[in-house]
Amino acid sequence: GLCYVSQEGHSVGRSQIVSVDGTNADFSVGHSFDGPEVTVSKLNFSPIWRDYFGGPNHARLDVGHYDGAADDVPNSPIMKACKGLVGSFDVLAVEYSEPADALPSQTDILRLDVDFHYSCANSDAELHGKLRFTKPE
C-alpha cells in the first residue's frame, strides 16, 4: 500500500491525503540507474505517484535511515519525485531475489517498506508518506 499526506503548496501531493492498496491501485517496482523505481497507478488511470530510492552513489539500498536525500546532489541518497527534491527516508525492510553483487537489472525486489518525507524546489511544503510493497507470488 501507499499512503501520504501533503501540505498546501506541495507540487506532487497538491494538499491531498492519499491512501491506496492493491485493491484500488497497481504497484510496480523495478530498477533504474538510480535504484528501485516505484510507480503507483490508480486502476485505469495514469500514475498517481512515482519515486526512485537509492543509496549514496547509486548504492544498493539496505535497511536504515537515509538523510539528505535529493534528486541531483552527488554522493547523496537519491529520491526522485520532483525537481529540487530535499528530504529523507527510512528503509524499514528490503529483500532482493539475488545477492548484493548481482546486477540490478537481474535482481527482483521482493519487498520494500519505506517511510519518507520531502519538499520540492521553491517550496517548504512537505509530503509525508509510507510505502509497503511485497511482490505477489
Side-chain angles (χ1 to χ4, degrees):
L2 168 74
C3 63
Y4 66 76
V5 60
S6 67
Q7 295 175 325
E8 186 175 336
H10 194 276
S11 63
V12 174
R14 297 184 177 97
S15 308
Q16 296 180 357
I17 298 172
V18 171
S19 181
V20 294
D21 60 29
T23 63
N24 59 0
D26 290 327
F27 289 76
S28 169
V29 176
H31 287 279
S32 75
F33 177 70
D34 296 320
E37 173 185 359
V38 182
T39 303
V40 180
S41 302
K42 290 287 266 183
L43 295 178
N44 302 317
F45 291 96
S46 62
I48 59 169
W49 186 77
R50 177 177 286 155
D51 206 337
Y52 302 83
F53 296 97
N57 296 315
H58 305 279
R60 189 175 186 167
L61 289 176
D62 201 359
V63 171
H65 178 71
Y66 293 83
D67 200 20
D71 65 334
D72 61 358
V73 176
N75 304 319
S76 71
I78 299 163
M79 252 199 304
K80 289 192 171 199
C82 60
K83 190 82 171 148
L85 182 145
V86 176
S88 67
F89 59 95
D90 292 289
V91 177
L92 307 175
V94 62
E95 294 177 27
Y96 301 95
S97 63
E98 299 293 331
D101 58 352
L103 295 173
S105 61
Q106 299 172 342
T107 303
D108 283 339
I109 296 172
L110 304 176
R111 181 176 176 191
L112 181 62
D113 294 355
V114 180
D115 290 354
F116 55 91
H117 73 89
Y118 63 91
S119 59
C120 300
N122 304 321
S123 175
D124 290 332
E126 287 195 343
L127 182 148
H128 296 263
K130 298 176 181 292
L131 170 74
R132 303 295 184 261
F133 173 82
T134 301
K135 184 177 180 176
E137 293 186 18

